[in-house]
Amino acid sequence: MANSQIRVKILPSIRCLFTKLVQVKVEGLAPHKPVELRSRVVDDRGVTFKASALYKADETGQVDICRAPSLRGSYTGVEPMGLFWSLAPETPHSKLTKKNVLSPTRVEIQVLNEETGDLLASETNERGYMIEGMRRVPVKEGRIRGVLFVPPGKGPFPGIVDLYTFGGRLSEPRASILAGKGYVVLALAYFGYEDLPKNPKVLDLEYFEEAVSYLRRQPEVKGPGIGIISISHSGGLAMAMSSLLSGISATVCINAASGNTVIPLTYKDLVFPPLPPIFHNFKMTDSGLVDIRDCLPDPSLEECKASLFPIERADCQFLFAASEDDRNWNSLVHAEHATATLRKHGKESFKLVTYPKAGHFLEVPHTPFCPSGFHGAVGTNVVFGGEPKAHCDAQLDLWEKVQEFFSLHLDNKLSKL
């Protein structure tokens, strides 16, 4: 039973945007008393994520997570957002899922007596995705399927197409949070969503061309060009779009391959076959997971030529982000290949940022680290790499860089989230 004299304070408010830092404080404890703090989330698939940390109250009976170190648990040391980024799934190999951003992600914070395990106090932090006045518009126009996020205000606003991962179908969190910065963002699905094919034999770049045209036609969208943000498999699609389609000004590729992967891609009379996988490079980790990092060939090899996108034709600015411990594929090699190709053709229209101990899924800040999970193309659980603290620091840094990049190259002078 909770102690009415002990309370959890979440500052500045229990309700905030998902990317916001909060200050978690506990008051009313016995001075110098050890207490366990726990956090808990149930995601949209019903998977429970938990974290815990042991703290010691100060002489006034307070624990301020922004100042006090965790002595043991899911993390140690002074980590103001530790109870958020260190959340781990009870069901192994699960990734925190948010299907619909109209409701917040609720993080319950509990304070327990370290000796008896009794609950002393609790509070819930509601971490939202949409700012007041934003519109979420489901899109079903021609072949296009997705969700359009329109910020409040008169506009017009710069437009961004948000592409997610191979197995992600449609993901709304990043798109909705970006829209809160003053962009019209189209979260675009490209297979396995609503009536789109579940197992397409080929992807058609003209579908993505339709999406770009749709976004540019919206009265709330200002030109001349739009942005693209992508991750993993969709990073290749973003490179193809930037190389072959008109009207693209700024493209973010996060842990992408520099050639086509998994499914053949066509555009008019062009065909880009997938990079040929090297099956004998599949490895098993000690924990029984598949490691596929070295299963794509070096993109500079002659045998890969047909799969590579003509990135040298792109007129846009690029931001490449590469995690050096990405186990999905060697993102750094692919990013360096893409930048070398641009440089070879006299283009310096890019920036490359690297993160030594980060894994594959670089998401918006404070998203729990995902070290392993089901891989749609492989058909089993794989390791995604990274170390929790370094990975979550990388997410924070990259989010800043993404905002700066779009602000600079989409003519959008906005303050940071």
Side-chain angles (χ1 to χ4, degrees), residues 101-323:
V101 296
L102 292 174
S103 62
T105 290
R106 294 177 174 86
V107 185
E108 183 184 14
I109 308 292
Q110 295 182 332
V111 184
L112 292 95
N113 183 307
E114 195 265 336
E115 295 171 352
T116 65
D118 292 339
L119 178 67
L120 302 176
S122 68
E123 186 59 273
T124 299
N125 182 207
E126 295 188 356
R127 306 187 67 76
Y129 300 87
M130 295 180 59
I131 63 173
E132 189 174 349
M134 186 188 294
R135 288 187 289 133
R136 176 189 177 274
V137 185
V139 176
K140 194 170 186 177
E141 173 132 346
R143 289 192 290 173
I144 307 307
R145 300 291 180 268
V147 174
L148 189 72
F149 292 95
V150 182
K154 291 182 179 179
F157 307 98
I160 296 173
V161 176
D162 185 304
L163 298 167
Y164 201 56
T165 65
F166 180 81
R169 307 303 189 249
L170 185 74
S171 179
E172 300 183 14
R174 184 175 64 188
S176 59
I177 293 168
L178 261 180
K181 291 301 298 165
Y183 301 94
V184 176
V185 184
L186 173 62
L188 182 68
Y190 56 94
F191 77 95
Y193 175 77
E194 292 188 348
D195 57 351
L196 293 176
K198 286 186 171 55
N199 297 292
K201 298 291 185 284
V202 66
L203 290 176
D204 180 5
L205 197 66
E206 291 180 49
Y207 172 84
F208 300 90
E209 190 169 39
E210 285 180 36
V212 170
S213 298
Y214 166 81
L215 182 59
R216 293 180 74 189
R217 283 198 312 271
Q218 300 310 300
E220 301 91 350
V221 175
K222 72 173 181 179
I226 65 162
I228 304 172
I229 186 166
S230 61
I231 183 171
S232 191
H233 177 265
S234 71
L237 298 174
M239 286 188 218
M241 293 166 71
S242 304
S243 304
L244 299 167
L245 307 183
S246 61
I248 311 297
S249 294
T251 299
V252 176
C253 296
I254 302 168
N255 289 331
S258 58
N260 189 35
T261 56
V262 188
I263 303 172
L265 180 70
T266 63
Y267 182 62
K268 297 179 180 175
D269 58 346
L270 298 174
V271 179
F272 298 91
L275 288 164
I278 308 170
F279 292 108
H280 64 261
N281 280 355
F282 274 64
K283 297 173 186 170
M284 296 294 290
T285 67
D286 293 340
S287 59
L289 292 169
V290 176
D291 185 338
I292 59 172
R293 177 183 172 90
D294 299 318
C295 293
L296 284 188
D298 186 321
S300 63
L301 297 174
E302 185 65 27
E303 67 197 64
C304 299
K305 208 168 183 179
S307 302
L308 300 181
F309 303 118
I311 194 171
E312 66 276 4
R313 291 169 56 176
D315 292 324
C316 68
Q317 294 286 329
F318 286 98
L319 174 62
F320 297 101
S323 296

Side-chain angles (χ1 to χ4, degrees), residues 41-49 88-92 94-97:
V41 167
V42 180
D43 77 359
D44 286 359
R45 287 183 178 168
V47 177
T48 299
F49 291 71
E90 285 191 331
T91 306
S94 297
K95 185 171 176 291
L96 186 73
T97 300

